[in-house]
Amino acid sequence: ITVGVSEAEVRGWTIGVEIARGGQTVFSGETSIGQIKRGFDELAGYLCRSQEFPHGAVLLTGTGVVPPDNFTLAAGDFVRIRISGIGT
C-alpha cells in the first residue's frame, strides 16, 4: 500500500486496462480494487508464510480485467494500465 493510504481508501480505486492496435482501441475494461476478496494483510501473510524477503517483494494480484477468450495480443500492441490512485 502506498505510504499514508489506508486499505479502505485503496479499495475505492479503480483499475482500467486499454489495449490499442494500430492506433485503435481493441479492448478496454475497468474494475474496482474493492473486488479483491482477501484483505491486503492476509495476502501479504500468505506470501511470507514459507519464504523470507529481506529486500522486500512485490505482490501481483492481476488486474481483474480480462479480455474475451478469443482475444490474443499481437506484436506491436500497446497495453495501458491505469490505477486511479497511482497513475498510468
Side-chain angles (χ1 to χ4, degrees):
I1 297 178
T2 303
V3 175
V5 180
S6 69
E7 179 173 338
E9 183 178 347
V10 172
R11 286 188 171 278
W13 294 355
T14 58
I15 299 174
V17 175
E18 178 184 348
I19 302 171
R21 181 174 296 151
Q24 301 292 317
T25 300
V26 293
F27 173 80
S28 67
E30 184 176 275
T31 191
S32 167
I33 293 175
Q35 294 296 311
I36 296 173
K37 302 297 182 212
R38 299 186 188 280
F40 297 169
D41 287 339
E42 183 179 1
L43 289 170
Y46 276 101
L47 178 67
C48 299
R49 195 178 256 183
S50 63
Q51 193 165 348
E52 293 181 13
F53 299 95
H55 303 290
V58 175
L59 175 61
L60 303 174
T61 62
T63 64
V65 181
V66 181
D69 287 343
N70 64 349
F71 183 86
T72 302
L73 287 172
D77 282 358
F78 184 81
V79 179
R80 180 185 318 256
I81 299 172
R82 180 190 50 77
I83 303 174
S84 60
I86 297 174
T88 302

